[in-house]
Amino acid sequence: MKDHDADVTLLLEDTHPCAGGELSGWVQQHLQGLPELRFSVVYLGTRQPAGEALRSRYALPENVVHLDCHYLLKPAPPGRPRSCPGDRQAFAQSEALHDYLRQPEGPLPDGFLREFFAGFGSRAAITHGDFLFSEAAWECIRDRYQRHCTEPSFADYFQTVRAMHAPLFELARIAARLPHSRLYHALSTGYAGLLGAMLHHRHGHPLVLTEHGAGARERRLDPAAADGRVAEWMRHGGHAGAETGYLRRMWVRYFEGLGRLAYGAAGTIVASHEEQRQRQARDGADPRRTRIIPAGVDLRRFQPLRRQRPAEVPKVLGLLGRVAPGKDVKTFIRAMRAVCEKLPAAEGWIVGPADEERAYARECQELVAALGLAGRVRFLGPRKVDEVLPQLGLLVLTSIGEALPLVLLQGFASGLPAVATDVGPCRELLGGGAPADRALGRAGALVPVADPEAVARAALALLLDPLSWRNAQEAATQRVLRYYDHRDGIQRYRGIYEKALEQE
Amino acid sequence: MKTTAPRGRPAPLRRPDRERHGIAGLVLAGYLFNLGLWADKLLYFFWAWREPGAGLRERVQTALGHGLPMLLACLAMVPGVAVLLSYLEAEFARRHAAFYGAVRAGTLEAIDEAGRALGASVRERLQEIGRIQGITMVLLLLGGPGVLELLHAPPRVRLLFYIDAAAASLGVLLLAALQLLGCLEQRALALRLGLLLLAANTALTPTARSLLPAVPGLGCAAAMALCSGLALRLLLRRLRHLEYETFMLRRQAPRLFPWRPA
């Protein structure tokens, strides 16, 4: 084994170690929790921000033997435009794959993908230059436009096709150069999942796929939602305005296709909650290969916070998260208006960076002033979660979409009940999934999306009634202790890795 | 031949910041064309000047004997050039705008249709220029002898006039091809063709002079035939592959929709 050969290669998109977010923290925990394995980490970013170099935000643990960081959109394509015929046979193969992804019926012929991805991006089949400049590519694009596209502008269609495919060739280059690894583990579908599928088909090593975030289907949501990645890629493709219509459907179908390729290649597909597992099956994952491993929290870190809680429940409602439309901070502020009428001593804290969506943050501050909540609702900016949690009386989550609400679990572990919207896994987290879990009781209250009245009612019910607050706290603590200890998750991943490596 | 390889194309979609550069390229191609057309005459002037033992009067006479027929032959270009200019101003400009308009926002069908219409109109107009130059040549052959008789031109000069007139007629087709290539975002190619004309005329004239000293002007005519043939071939090929080259061989700017305001 060479120095940089790894047991497991983690494939990460827009997260650890170069970007922040909850998933990044999870990855760091994961790496630290499996010190006996040698990891190689591959980071895939979208486009390099001007004047910024790629750098790791985390001190990587010692078992990370290799780190590769890439941006998928390069400012210029390779080489100068040059007329060439292109390999017609390879393009026919690519056509067959496109047709299959458009209407997946039955499995692809045995070895088709292995052969396809072995040559993809190299001179043996389709190079990036062939895709951009060859006559065969031109005929393919024309043909597919004539057969399927209802978009009036051919130029827009053409540029969309180019924008979609450019990252694929970058991925092929990355796949060809990665150091040897016995196992690949992609932390999302999309480009990370596709890279995993490419590596699996090229080298034959097993692929594990974990989805914490939204799947391809949820990517249809607008930029305000939890995962606006389609919107982001569309923005990069110059389609900021194309919210509806054929091009948008094309992007959605494209990510669904990428997801399908990843599901097909993965031997084990991990969801973080039941609803997600069902969604994966609908999107083309084989249900026999899906597992649920809930995302967990580090109990050793959060449980001691409980002792720091004051004897009386503080009348402080906290929203922990970025000030962004996806978190629907405005609903929280409106709810605070209603809470303060019944409970004049109540305070609302918004803890998280406000500099990512400046316009939205300004609107929120104006709303606070307009509702006469100045001094009652405070924007605290980014703070250490460990310091904030013991000072809160109730955790509030008003998001219109959540993929991995680790903050709920952190709150639970520190003895803090919550009011959360019914999105993603929140229902399971608050009320329990399996019958034994449900028997633990409710760790707070579930409310509809964008309903300030309901948030206020639920919050008051908990804050004004110490008994139900204590019950919710107890349920929260028990639930997180039993089902969401991240060491259990690590243990189960260890099992998955071992089994996959054995089969290999 | 090196110039046939379609390389290093400028962006085919016109953008304001490229316009000035494009015009400079066209102007340069025009100069090269004229220099190429006169290269053999300049060579003859040079040789006449170096003629040992000739007086000044004889030298000037020999030089004029080569220059004047070309000057007269250039008049034969007038009808073809007139057709070309009016076409470029009106019909070609309209079809060109229609094609690039369709490229910007049209369906593939509309782009195909506009491209076909543009190609057909160019081919038609080139044929028309060819026909007009043919008629001009016939008129010159019929009316020329009388005029040259009046001017007391020696037989060698008369022969040179007919050959130069044929070369100039081919020159109209070359000029048309260069202009159209320039308008179809192939200015680099137009420049190279101008250079080729200059090189071919400079190289073929001494060769023809040593092989067939009795027939003057053959080098120029051969160079013109070669270059106009090549230019027309390249132009027609460009028209056949107009859509493919417009979409696929454009140098990519970092922005994906360079024609849209940011």
Side-chain angles (χ1 to χ4, degrees), chain A residues 7 9 40 56 62 71 81 145 195 203 307 323-324 332 338 341 359 450:
Chain A
D7 298 309
T9 297
S40 161
S56 174
E62 281 195 354
Y71 284 113
Y145 174 87
L195 179 59
H203 303 302
R307 284 196 294 277
V323 181
F332 176 70
E341 259 154 41

Side-chain angles (χ1 to χ4, degrees), chain B:
Chain B
M1 190 165 296
K2 201 163 176 284
T3 44
T4 55
R7 289 192 304 153
R9 286 188 175 76
L13 295 160
R14 289 192 165 208
R15 281 157 50 187
D17 55 326
R18 290 194 161 252
E19 206 78 333
R20 217 165 23 167
H21 169 75
I23 287 172
L26 272 185
V27 169
L28 194 57
Y31 274 123
L32 281 173
F33 170 78
N34 278 305
L35 198 58
L37 190 63
W38 284 88
D40 65 315
K41 266 60 79 177
L42 294 175
L43 273 179
Y44 273 110
F45 296 162
F46 177 69
W47 287 326
W49 202 251
R50 298 266 310 269
E51 195 78 30
L56 181 65
R57 190 186 150 82
E58 280 127 29
R59 285 177 182 163
V60 172
Q61 239 171 8
T62 323
L64 280 182
H66 281 104
L68 272 182
M70 192 65 209
L71 212 56
L72 289 175
C74 278
L75 291 177
M77 293 171 82
V78 170
V81 170
V83 171
L84 171 66
L85 287 181
S86 69
Y87 171 62
L88 281 177
E89 279 295 315
E91 191 189 343
F92 180 77
R94 202 179 66 237
R95 295 215 186 273
H96 182 269
F99 176 70
Y100 283 101
V103 163
R104 263 179 222 107
T107 59
L108 184 57
E109 212 179 1
I111 298 168
D112 281 348
E113 186 52 48
R116 263 198 300 275
L118 180 66
S121 108
V122 167
R123 276 190 293 275
E124 217 168 84
R125 221 34 75 104
L126 284 173
Q127 281 167 8
E128 194 178 323
I129 291 173
R131 268 201 304 277
I132 284 185
Q133 285 308 122
I135 293 170
T136 312
M137 272 306 289
V138 169
L139 290 178
L140 276 180
L141 287 174
L142 291 176
V147 178
L148 291 169
E149 199 81 21
L150 281 177
L151 292 172
H152 305 293
R156 191 183 155 86
V157 171
R158 286 188 216 174
L159 183 59
L160 179 58
F161 171 70
Y162 292 130
I163 293 176
D164 276 353
S169 291
L170 287 172
V172 179
L173 287 174
L174 176 58
L175 193 62
L178 291 184
Q179 281 292 332
L180 292 166
L181 280 172
C183 293
L184 293 170
E185 313 294 332
Q186 301 280 290
R187 285 181 284 270
L189 190 56
L191 263 179
R192 284 179 200 185
L193 282 165
L195 268 178
L196 177 71
L197 176 67
L198 179 59
N201 199 355
T202 314
L204 289 178
T205 296
T207 319
R209 183 167 172 254
S210 60
L211 289 178
L212 278 172
V215 192
L218 267 188
C220 176
M224 205 53 98
L226 173 76
C227 289
S228 56
L230 184 63
L232 287 177
R233 250 188 77 119
L234 289 174
L235 173 64
L236 294 178
R237 204 187 67 175
R238 164 81 184 158
L239 285 169
R240 269 199 308 279
H241 299 149
L242 192 56
E243 289 130 83
Y244 162 65
E245 292 182 1
T246 301
F247 278 98
M248 300 290 281
L249 300 186
R250 189 157 53 84
R251 200 178 276 280
Q252 279 274 312
R255 254 170 62 220
L256 291 163
F257 290 91
W259 54 81
R260 287 190 178 165

Side-chain angles (χ1 to χ4, degrees), chain A residues 249-493:
Chain A
R249 287 204 302 282
M250 230 167 112
W251 278 105
V252 172
R253 207 170 37 236
Y254 170 72
F255 278 105
E256 280 174 356
L258 295 189
R260 196 170 285 278
L261 286 172
Y263 291 142
T268 310
I269 301 161
V270 180
S272 62
H273 53 102
E274 175 58 25
E275 192 196 329
Q276 188 174 44
R277 197 185 69 82
Q278 288 168 9
R279 198 263 311 147
Q280 287 173 337
R282 282 197 305 275
D283 280 355
D286 180 352
R288 284 167 303 180
R289 298 193 208 158
T290 54
R291 308 261 177 295
I292 296 179
I293 301 182
V297 288
D298 186 352
L299 294 178
R300 280 170 304 181
R301 178 178 152 201
F302 290 98
Q303 261 183 330
L305 299 181
R306 195 171 166 167
R307 284 196 294 277
Q308 297 175 24
R309 304 203 131 271
E312 199 185 330
V313 178
K315 302 290 182 258
V316 181
L317 292 82
L319 186 150
L320 275 66
R322 295 171 299 121
V323 181
K327 301 284 177 192
D328 198 5
V329 180
K330 288 180 183 173
T331 291
F332 176 70
I333 297 169
R334 292 200 180 93
M336 278 312 295
R337 174 70 262 165
V339 170
C340 284
E341 259 154 41
K342 287 267 169 62
L343 197 66
E347 281 186 35
W349 294 1
I350 296 161
V351 185
D355 52 356
E356 289 179 24
E357 305 265 355
R358 287 174 197 279
Y360 184 78
R362 208 168 38 247
E363 285 169 31
C364 289
Q365 276 153 1
E366 283 164 11
L367 185 63
V368 168
L371 293 178
L373 289 169
R376 302 253 65 86
V377 173
R378 293 155 60 189
F379 293 85
L380 298 184
R383 290 282 179 92
K384 275 202 90 141
V385 188
D386 314 50
E387 287 163 16
V388 175
L389 286 176
Q391 302 179 51
L392 298 180
L394 194 63
L395 192 63
V396 180
L397 193 78
T398 46
S399 303
I400 57 176
E402 269 301 341
L404 187 68
L406 280 181
V407 65
L408 277 187
L409 295 173
Q410 293 166 352
F412 290 178
S414 74
L416 185 65
V419 171
T421 43
D422 187 5
V423 292
C426 292
R427 180 177 286 268
E428 249 178 86
L429 293 179
L430 284 169
D437 186 4
R438 279 205 294 276
L440 291 175
R442 305 174 62 83
L446 202 65
V447 292
V449 171
D451 188 347
E453 290 299 318
V455 175
R457 262 199 313 277
L460 285 170
L462 282 163
L463 286 174
L464 293 176
D465 178 3
L467 184 64
S468 65
W469 193 93
R470 293 278 165 218
N471 287 342
Q473 183 190 42
E474 197 49 35
T477 318
Q478 288 304 320
R479 176 160 299 126
V480 84
L481 199 64
R482 270 203 220 162
Y483 298 104
Y484 297 99
D485 183 346
H486 92 278
R487 279 169 301 187
D488 295 344
I490 297 267
Q491 200 49 42
R492 294 181 63 187
Y493 272 109

